Amino acid sequence: MITKKSWRDRLASYPHLPTVKEIPPAMRARHGEGTIATPSPREVEDAMRSIPEGRLATVLGIGEDVAVRHRATIGCTVTTAIFAHMVAHATEEAQTAQDRTPYWRTLKIGGELNAKYPGGIEVQMARLEAEGHTVVQRGKRYFVEDFAKKLSGTR
């Protein structure tokens, strides 16, 4: 019988991270020369845990903070977003309060809610509204109103 890896085990399966490498040629047209920092899952989780109630962060902001921490030109927002998704699912899978990360406070770029978090838009919206945020719909997407004014030290 094949057992499925837990989300926590998946997060632990990146021992080679963090890394800092040259920006790949395919990304240079957009980002220029320099280096890119790829975070570890622990760094992303720690950033998400540090967001206090009433404040918010974005995947882009966390990626920028990772870049600064590692003295890199940019942070890898794709990897940051993947790890944020994994942290959210590990949190919902957890049985103890100490393993709870307020993942719903981490938004996509532009303050958009993340439909791939556990429970989808509805759960994230309910948790954000319970903390005093206003969620607005634009077309088929949902955003926190005035999210930029509510960004924590971890953007």
Side-chain angles (χ1 to χ4, degrees):
M1 180 174 166
I2 298 174
T3 58
K4 193 173 181 182
K5 266 186 165 180
S6 73
W7 286 102
R8 183 64 48 202
D9 288 341
R10 292 179 197 189
L11 285 169
S13 64
Y14 295 89
H16 63 286
L17 295 176
T19 62
V20 177
K21 297 179 179 178
E22 283 189 39
I23 295 174
M27 293 177 67
R28 289 184 190 148
R30 183 173 182 174
H31 298 287
E33 299 285 328
T35 55
I36 182 168
T38 303
S40 69
R42 173 57 73 192
E43 285 178 298
V44 174
E45 184 170 32
D46 289 348
M48 293 171 76
R49 281 183 186 236
S50 73
I51 306 163
E53 185 173 336
R55 305 301 289 178
L56 301 167
T58 65
V59 169
L60 176 62
I62 293 172
E64 289 171 348
D65 290 345
V66 166
V68 168
R69 187 175 317 110
H70 293 288
R71 296 182 183 99
T73 310
I74 61 172
C76 182
T77 54
V78 172
T79 304
T80 302
I82 290 167
F83 290 155
H85 169 85
M86 292 170 71
V87 167
H89 286 276
T91 295
E92 288 303 313
E93 183 180 75
Q95 299 297 316
T96 64
Q98 73 185 32
D99 291 332
R100 309 269 317 151
T101 300
Y103 64 85
W104 55 91
R105 297 177 190 153
T106 301
L107 306 172
K108 293 168 71 173
I109 294 170
E112 184 177 356
L113 275 60
N114 192 333
K116 293 184 179 181
Y117 281 167
I121 296 293
E122 297 78 19
V123 169
Q124 188 178 19
M125 184 185 327
R127 289 180 173 171
L128 289 167
E129 289 176 341
E131 292 184 358
H133 300 287
T134 302
V135 176
V136 295
Q137 183 175 2
R138 294 186 196 135
K140 293 182 179 182
R141 298 162 48 191
Y142 293 83
F143 298 82
V144 173
E145 189 173 68
D146 297 325
F147 83 95
K149 296 177 183 176
K150 300 171 184 179
L151 294 176
S152 71
T154 299
R155 292 168 242 147

